[in-house]
């Protein structure tokens, strides 16, 4: 009934006016019948009836939708007011859209990556299990012996599975390609709780050595290899030159952080070292703390049972979500804080513009108050205007956020591996957040103008010629100070990131990456590992014979991959150190020619050569860090080192190579021991080829030489070494770019705020300036006076911003490289930059003030 009456508003209004006129007409007719003249009857009837408008208003209130109707009228009035000043409205809407849009875009990323649950049933119960090495808290991959012990002895877990990421040679119709795969134990899919889209998953007792071997496809591999054919179950594909029967297809979106096209069963081999990841599902009644305690207790028992493997080692559990997004969490939180500051600056700017406009509307508000409008009524009208502005800004900001998120997902470099990025969408939660941001923004920027309206002076406001120089000036100045302070914090953060990235980009990796091509591959499985070494040697011989190739070599794991093989080793002439004091370091398996191909100098001794083959004395080369660790102050050449590797015989040191930053540029060189691939065959091989010119020009020829040695051997990735180095700092580059963009926006908004306040002050003080000039004030003095006012606000803002930066930039500590969060050079540069921006913002209003003609101004007044 209520809505029926509301939508019949015109009919009701017409009936009301008709009834009022009918009452008046009846009274007039009665008076005329009693002998009064028509004019006298009309006047008397109207006087006796009273205020027709008031009666109509009271009647409308009784209809029950007066408040709603009032809001509609206020909205229409707000549209007219904003439409009368289109430039002013556009500036405010764009400022709000910039703040709301950037905040919404970053929140959608934060929500999609950090807040949304993982796409598994009961994802909060999923944890990763890691071993913890002695004297460190850094999680480490797991030995299968310990995985079996955890599985048999723990009571806090429903299920547990081990897996290992490995490239797989997939034989296609024309050639072999290497695709990412996971070797998993049978409970892997049960732990994650995701049923297959087609077929089944592995059963207990199915291993990769069984015949026929089995494989589960990812959804992407099913679509790419078989076009989504539903009859794929039972078909066979060749993986690592062995037929595998397809038993299942997983649904879209299934997977862990480790990418996989193929899933094969994992055989338990207790002779292998720590190479495996373990995932588990907690029991419903088990807590994470209880699981950690239990794992640590089991690890203590296994350390006593197998001290050669486990002495000093412990174990821990980490939630899967934390494990998945742990590295990106600090960056996203910093970016979200940055866009929040941008939003606050935008709101302060809009509030300042509305305050200036409110001063100009002082006469209008005073007239309304003088005619009987209540303060509440005026404030309500202003609030509706502000809500309308925030709605327009929020709608445009949401559109900008949608575009920004799509561009981010589509245009992000592949090297910037952000977990769960494909799950980022503008979903209902993001829409609600955007609406709340728009609402809160309207409160933030609308509060000050509304408060100013409630303190309007009717006597002053009703004088058209009066100009209130001081009205709202303190509040506007405070907002500008806040803008400068917030901008200082953002620009300081951006400056720290820029300086950090520049230092990182100038780091010498220790090798020459130009004109070097790399090819990564997992060698086909063979019964005799010596065939691996022979195959790599033959490939390198063919490649070195190609025109344009200067040198070529191989290493197990390339530099700039963020990881390396590792173990412990110690001088063979000394007693074996205690288990918890074993010197640990990296191990790289290389071929002769590797050092030359990357331009790594051998500082002492010699490089590996063709004589370092099976049956010859075992040899090794140390880098400088390893030489200092094992033989401080001694010449290591000729010394022997015992290495916990595939062979227990000591190796003789024949050379010392220069240090390189193997894992990444922002970590110092780790101790590393190099062993020849001929003596320690390694299944992973990364070819490193130095060419005369562009290495991409010989890619096809190198692939052909690999096929000539082994037609079934696939190549996982082909990339230049320069690209690998660039990719290793791709994420810091993106972080620096984003913070710099937010800093630029903040700086621009602060500049606009300073300019607006000073320009408006000059306009309001035109009479004062004219009088000063008429009384003898020189124009340079007026110019300095205006500049001093702007610089005074800037100085207060810089002081507040410096204090804020000292408190907040420390959260950047984990993102900075060789730069302290309170770096004085950066802060001084930012202060100088903001001072120059403030000077530029104050210059034009000051120049306009100098051109004031006192005669014209005084005549106008």
């Amino acid at each position: 009934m209520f809505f029926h009456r509301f939508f019949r508003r015109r009919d009701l209004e017409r009936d009301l006016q008709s009834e009022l006129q009918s009452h008046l007409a009846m009274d007039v007719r009665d008076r005329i019948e009693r002998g009064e003249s028509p004019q006298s009857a009309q006047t008397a009837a109207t006087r006796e009836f009273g205020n027709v408008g008031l009666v109509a208003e009271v009647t409308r209130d009784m209809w029950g939708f007066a408040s709603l109707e009032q809001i509609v009228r206020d909205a229409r009035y707000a549209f007219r007011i904003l439409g009368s000043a289109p430039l002013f409205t556009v500036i405010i809407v764009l400022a709000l859209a910039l703040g709301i849009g950037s905040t919404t875009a970053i929140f959608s990323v934060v929500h999609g990556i950090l807040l949304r649950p993982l796409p598994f049933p009961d994802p909060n119960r999923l944890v990763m299990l890691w071993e913890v090495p002695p004297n460190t808290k850094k999680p480490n991959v797991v030995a299968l012996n310990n995985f079996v012990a955890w599985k048999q002895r723990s009571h806090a877990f429903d299920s547990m599975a081990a897996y290992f990421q490995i490239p797989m040679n997939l034989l296609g119709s024309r050639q072999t390609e290497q695709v990412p795969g996971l070797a998993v134990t049978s409970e892997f899919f049960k732990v994650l709780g995701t049923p297959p889209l087609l077929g089944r998953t592995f059963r207990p007792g199915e291993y990769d050595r069984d015949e026929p071997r089995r494989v589960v496809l990812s959804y992407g591999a099913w679509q790419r290899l078989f076009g989504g054919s539903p009859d794929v179950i039972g078909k066979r594909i060749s993986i690592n030159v062995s037929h595998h029967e397809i038993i299942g297809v997983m649904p879209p979106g299934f997977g862990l952080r480790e990418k996989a096209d193929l899933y094969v069963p994992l055989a338990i081999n207790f002779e292998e070292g720590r190479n495996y990841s373990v995932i588990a599902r907690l029991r419903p009644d088990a807590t994470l703390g209880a699981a950690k305690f239990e794992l640590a207790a089991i690890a203590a028992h296994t350390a006593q049972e197998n001290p050669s493997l486990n002495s000093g080692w412990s174990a821990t559990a980490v939630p899967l979500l934390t494990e998945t997004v742990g590295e990106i969490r600090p960056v996203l939180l910093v970016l979200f804080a940055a866009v929040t500051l941008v939003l606050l600056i935008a709101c302060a700017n809009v509030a300042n513009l509305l305050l200036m406009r409110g001063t100009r509307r002082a006469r209008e508000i005073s007239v309304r108050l003088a005619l009987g409008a209540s303060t509440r009524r005026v404030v309500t009208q202003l609030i509706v205007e502000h809500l309308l502005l925030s709605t327009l800004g929020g709608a445009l900001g949401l559109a900008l956020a949608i575009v920004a998120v799509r561009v981010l997902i589509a245009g992000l470099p592949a090297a910037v591996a952000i977990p769960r990025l494909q799950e980022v969408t503008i979903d209902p939660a993001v829409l609600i957040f955007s609406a709340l941001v728009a609402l809160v923004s309207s409160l933030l920027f609308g509060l000050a103008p509304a408060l100013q309206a409630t303190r309007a002076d009717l006597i002053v406001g009703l004088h058209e010629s009066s100009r209130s120089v001081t009205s709202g000036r303190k509040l506007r100045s405070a907002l500008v100070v806040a803008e400068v302070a917030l901008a200082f914090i953002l620009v300081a953060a951006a400056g720290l990131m820029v300086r950090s990235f520049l230092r990182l980009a100038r780091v010498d990796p220790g090798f020459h990456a130009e004109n070097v091509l790399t090819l990564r591959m997992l060698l086909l499985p063979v019964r005799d590992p010596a065939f691996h070494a022979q195959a790599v040697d033959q490939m390198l011989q063919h490649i070195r014979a190609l025109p344009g190739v200067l040198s070529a070599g191989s290493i197990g794991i390339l530099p700039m991959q963020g990881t390396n093989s590792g173990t412990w080793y110690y001088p063979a002439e000394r007693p074996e150190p205690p288990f918890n004091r074993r010197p640990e370091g990296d191990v790289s398996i290389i071929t002769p020619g590797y050092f030359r191909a990357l331009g790594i100098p051998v500082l002492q001794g010699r490089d590996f050569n063709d004589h370092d083959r099976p049956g010859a004395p075992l040899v090794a080369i140390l880098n400088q860090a390893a030489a200092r660790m094992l033989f401080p102050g001694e010449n290591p050449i000729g010394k022997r080192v015992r290495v916990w590797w595939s062979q227990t015989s000591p190796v003789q040191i024949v050379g010392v190579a220069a240090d390189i930053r193997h894992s990444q540029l922002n970590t110092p060189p780790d101790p590393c021991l190099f062993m020849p691939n001929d003596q320690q065959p390694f299944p992973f091989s990364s070819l490193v080829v130095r060419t005369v010119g562009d290495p991409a020009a010989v890619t096809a020829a190198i692939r052909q030489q690999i096929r000539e040695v082994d037609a079934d051997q696939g190549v996982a990735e082909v990339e230049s070494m320069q690209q690998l180095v660039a990719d290793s700092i791709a994420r810091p580059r993106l972080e620096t770019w984003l913070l710099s963009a937010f800093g630029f926006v903040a700086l621009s908004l602060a500049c606009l705020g300073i300019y607006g306040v000073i320009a408006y002050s000059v306009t309001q003080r035109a009479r004062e300036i004219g009088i000063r000039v008429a009384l003898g004030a020189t124009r340079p003095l007026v110019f300095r006076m205006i500049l001093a006012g702007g610089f005074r606000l800037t100085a207060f803002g810089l002081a507040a911003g410096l204090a804020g930066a000292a408190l907040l930039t420390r959260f950047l500590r984990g993102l900075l490289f060789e730069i302290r969060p309170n770096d004085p050079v950066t802060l001084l540069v930012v202060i100088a930059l903001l001072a120059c921006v403030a000077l530029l913002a104050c210059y034009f209003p000051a120049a306009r003030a100098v051109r004031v003609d006192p005669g014209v101004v005084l005549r106008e007044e």
Side-chain angles (χ1 to χ4, degrees):
M1 187 66 179
F2 172 84
F3 290 103
H4 178 69
R5 290 200 307 269
F6 179 75
F7 289 109
R8 291 184 60 246
R9 172 66 177 80
R10 291 185 178 179
D11 294 339
L12 291 174
E13 185 67 28
R14 185 169 56 251
D15 293 343
L16 173 62
Q17 295 300 327
S18 175
E19 186 174 355
L20 291 175
Q21 293 303 321
S22 175
H23 278 289
L24 280 173
M26 290 172 60
D27 194 9
V28 170
R29 188 169 60 249
D30 290 343
R31 290 177 182 275
I32 292 176
E33 291 176 353
R34 290 197 297 266
E36 295 185 26
S37 66
Q39 184 176 0
S40 176
Q42 181 72 38
T43 302
T46 303
R47 183 172 58 250
E48 185 175 335
F49 189 86
N51 191 330
V52 176
L54 180 59
V55 173
E57 191 68 29
V58 172
T59 305
R60 293 188 192 104
D61 290 342
M62 295 176 64
W63 291 346
F65 45 78
S67 298
L68 182 59
E69 186 181 38
Q70 189 64 56
I71 292 176
V72 173
R73 285 202 299 269
D74 287 345
R76 290 173 181 170
Y77 181 74
F79 270 112
R80 291 197 300 271
I81 288 294
L82 297 178
S84 65
L87 182 60
F88 171 83
T89 303
V90 168
I91 291 175
I92 287 183
V93 170
L94 288 179
L96 288 175
L98 188 62
I100 296 173
S102 58
T103 306
T104 302
I106 296 299
F107 175 78
S108 68
V109 176
V110 171
H111 178 261
I113 294 177
L114 301 185
L115 303 181
R116 180 182 290 136
L118 292 169
F120 304 109
D122 294 328
N124 294 332
R125 292 167 52 201
L126 291 173
V127 294
M128 295 295 298
L129 309 185
W130 302 105
E131 294 197 62
V132 181
N135 305 319
T136 181
K137 297 298 182 182
K138 185 178 180 181
N140 193 79
V141 285
V142 179
L144 286 178
N145 310 60
N146 296 328
F147 160 70
V148 173
W150 298 346
K151 187 175 174 62
Q152 292 174 347
R153 304 179 190 182
S154 66
H155 301 286
F157 304 101
D158 264 343
S159 52
M160 188 184 302
Y163 65 90
F164 179 66
Q165 186 178 32
I166 187 170
M168 297 179 182
N169 289 278
L170 179 63
L171 181 61
S173 57
R174 296 182 179 179
Q175 64 181 16
T176 301
E177 60 174 331
Q178 284 202 344
V179 298
L182 284 184
V184 302
T185 56
S186 60
E187 286 194 311
F188 177 79
F189 299 100
K190 177 184 176 183
V191 170
L192 294 176
T194 304
L197 182 67
L198 297 176
R200 66 174 179 87
T201 56
F202 304 126
R203 295 170 180 156
E206 286 183 331
Y207 299 111
D208 64 355
R209 58 172 174 262
D210 294 341
E211 292 293 346
R213 299 180 180 182
R214 295 169 176 83
V215 62
V216 175
L217 303 181
S218 71
Y219 183 85
W222 176 49
Q223 293 291 324
R224 182 169 58 87
L225 299 175
F226 297 97
S229 173
D231 60 349
V232 69
I233 304 301
K235 291 185 177 181
R236 294 192 175 190
I237 57 176
S238 179
I239 303 174
N240 294 337
V241 201
S242 177
H243 289 297
H244 285 66
E245 178 186 345
I246 300 172
I247 63 171
V249 175
M250 298 308 295
F254 173 82
L256 298 176
R257 180 177 56 181
E258 297 86 355
K259 294 182 179 180
D261 283 346
L262 309 173
Y263 299 88
V264 299
L266 171 66
I268 302 295
N269 184 353
F270 293 112
E271 296 181 0
E272 296 185 7
R274 290 181 165 91
N275 294 310
Y276 299 90
S277 301
V278 176
I279 188 169
R281 180 176 288 274
L282 288 168
R283 292 184 184 275
D285 57 345
T287 64
L288 181 64
K292 289 182 177 181
F293 181 81
E294 183 182 62
L295 281 174
I298 297 174
H301 285 295
T302 56
Q304 295 176 355
E305 296 165 357
N306 188 358
S308 62
L309 176 67
N310 296 323
S311 180
W313 287 73
S314 186
T316 189
V318 180
L320 180 60
L321 178 60
T322 302
E323 190 66 42
T324 303
V325 303
E327 293 183 0
I328 200 68
R329 182 189 297 272
V331 178
L332 293 182
L333 294 180
V334 166
L335 291 177
F336 188 68
V339 295
T340 302
L341 293 182
V342 170
L343 178 62
L344 291 176
I345 295 173
C347 288
N349 233 321
V350 171
N352 242 329
L353 290 172
L354 290 175
L355 281 172
M356 298 174 194
R357 186 166 176 267
T359 303
R360 293 183 178 181
R361 294 179 64 186
R363 178 175 173 78
E364 171 204 338
I365 294 173
S366 297
V367 169
R368 295 178 64 186
L369 292 173
L371 292 177
S374 66
T375 301
R376 176 177 172 275
R377 182 72 193 85
V378 172
V379 171
T380 301
Q381 172 65 55
L382 294 176
I383 289 176
V384 171
E385 290 184 25
H386 303 157
L387 283 173
L388 179 59
L389 286 172
S390 65
T391 301
L392 295 174
L396 182 57
L398 181 60
L400 293 176
I402 293 173
V403 173
V405 169
R406 290 179 178 174
V407 170
L408 176 66
I409 295 176
L412 200 66
V416 184
I418 298 180
R420 309 187 69 191
L421 183 63
Q422 298 303 321
E423 299 178 36
V424 174
T425 58
I426 305 296
D427 59 8
V430 176
L431 294 177
I432 293 173
F433 174 83
S434 181
L436 289 176
V437 169
L439 179 61
V440 172
S441 300
S442 68
L443 295 177
L444 289 176
F445 69 73
L447 183 61
L451 290 176
Q452 177 180 279
T454 62
R455 295 195 297 265
D457 189 331
L458 298 184
I459 303 301
V460 175
L462 291 173
H463 286 78
E464 185 176 3
S465 63
S466 66
R467 290 187 180 180
S468 176
V469 177
T470 60
S471 176
R473 190 170 70 183
K474 291 183 179 180
L475 185 54
R476 293 195 298 272
S477 299
L479 288 172
V480 170
V481 170
E483 285 186 62
V484 173
L486 294 174
F488 182 92
I489 295 172
L490 260 181
V491 176
L496 291 170
M497 292 293 291
V498 168
R499 290 203 67 205
S500 171
F501 178 75
L502 291 177
R503 288 203 176 191
L504 184 62
R506 288 197 296 263
V507 169
D508 181 9
F511 55 83
H512 300 289
E514 64 280 357
N515 297 335
V516 174
L517 187 71
T518 68
L519 300 91
R520 282 172 274 177
M521 55 188 174
L522 173 68
L523 300 173
L524 292 171
V526 292
R527 293 183 179 179
D528 185 357
F531 285 121
H532 281 160
Q534 295 174 13
V536 172
D537 284 343
Q538 292 177 23
M539 292 175 190
L540 291 174
Q541 290 174 13
H542 285 67
I543 292 170
R544 290 174 185 138
L546 291 174
V549 173
L550 296 177
S551 56
S554 172
I555 184 173
I557 300 177
L558 279 171
M560 299 295 107
Q561 295 299 289
T563 186
N564 199 7
S565 298
T567 187
W568 57 275
Y569 33 79
Y570 65 96
E573 289 77 14
R574 301 176 190 172
E576 182 175 331
F579 294 120
N580 57 353
R581 295 183 182 178
R582 293 168 173 170
E584 296 180 348
D586 290 348
V587 171
S588 289
I589 307 300
I590 66 173
T591 65
Y594 167 75
F595 289 132
R596 183 184 175 193
L598 274 187
I600 302 172
V602 177
L603 305 177
Q604 292 179 256
R606 65 173 177 86
D607 193 355
F608 296 135
N609 55 43
D610 294 338
H611 299 292
D612 301 319
R613 292 194 169 275
L618 300 179
V619 295
I621 295 175
L622 300 176
N623 71 348
Q624 292 171 282
R628 288 191 297 268
M629 179 182 74
L630 298 177
F631 306 102
E634 303 179 44
N635 182 0
I637 304 300
K639 301 289 181 66
R640 296 187 310 148
V641 173
R642 190 174 296 278
V643 187
W644 197 68
W645 198 249
S646 60
Q647 298 190 29
T648 57
S649 301
V651 297
Q652 185 177 24
I653 305 303
V654 297
V656 175
D659 285 339
I660 70 168
R661 295 178 185 253
H662 185 97
S663 295
Q664 47 196 4
L665 291 179
N666 60 0
T667 58
D670 293 315
C672 186
L673 181 141
F674 300 91
M675 293 189 290
N677 190 53
D678 286 332
Q679 294 184 344
Q680 307 284 353
F682 201 58
F684 292 94
S685 179
S686 298
L687 304 184
V688 181
V689 183
R690 179 172 293 277
T691 62
V692 175
D694 182 9
V698 298
T699 301
I702 293 175
R703 284 181 177 272
Q704 179 60 35
Q705 300 308 313
I706 294 174
R707 283 195 294 270
E708 288 187 6
V709 174
D710 191 339
D712 294 327
Q713 179 63 57
V715 175
E717 295 184 60
V718 180
E719 199 169 6
S720 71
M721 196 69 221
Q722 282 182 309
Q723 189 61 48
L724 279 174
V725 175
D727 289 349
S728 70
I729 57 175
R731 183 180 292 177
R733 184 187 298 113
L734 177 65
E735 296 163 3
T736 301
W737 185 88
L738 287 175
L739 264 184
S740 299
F742 294 142
F744 175 77
V745 171
L747 190 63
S748 302
L749 290 174
C751 177
L752 181 63
I754 296 172
Y755 171 82
V757 166
I758 300 302
Y760 185 75
S761 175
V762 168
T763 302
Q764 293 293 88
R765 298 172 66 184
R767 183 172 182 272
E768 173 197 342
I769 294 172
I771 293 174
R772 286 177 179 270
V773 173
L775 294 177
T778 62
R779 298 190 183 275
L781 179 63
V782 172
F783 188 82
R784 288 196 299 271
M785 178 185 70
I786 301 300
L787 284 184
F791 264 93
R792 190 178 304 110
L793 297 179
T794 305
F796 288 139
L798 291 177
L802 190 61
L807 293 174
L808 297 178
T809 53
R810 59 191 177 92
F811 293 105
L812 296 175
R813 190 182 305 275
L815 305 179
L816 300 178
F817 175 72
E818 294 184 352
I819 292 290
R820 293 178 300 168
N822 57 350
D823 178 59
V825 174
T826 303
L827 296 179
L828 288 175
V829 170
V830 173
I831 290 173
L833 176 62
L834 279 171
C836 291
V837 168
L839 175 64
L840 185 65
C842 297
Y843 173 80
F844 295 102
R848 189 166 72 248
V850 168
R851 294 193 295 269
V852 169
D853 187 336
V856 174
V857 171
L858 294 177
R859 278 196 301 273
E860 288 179 352
E861 293 294 333

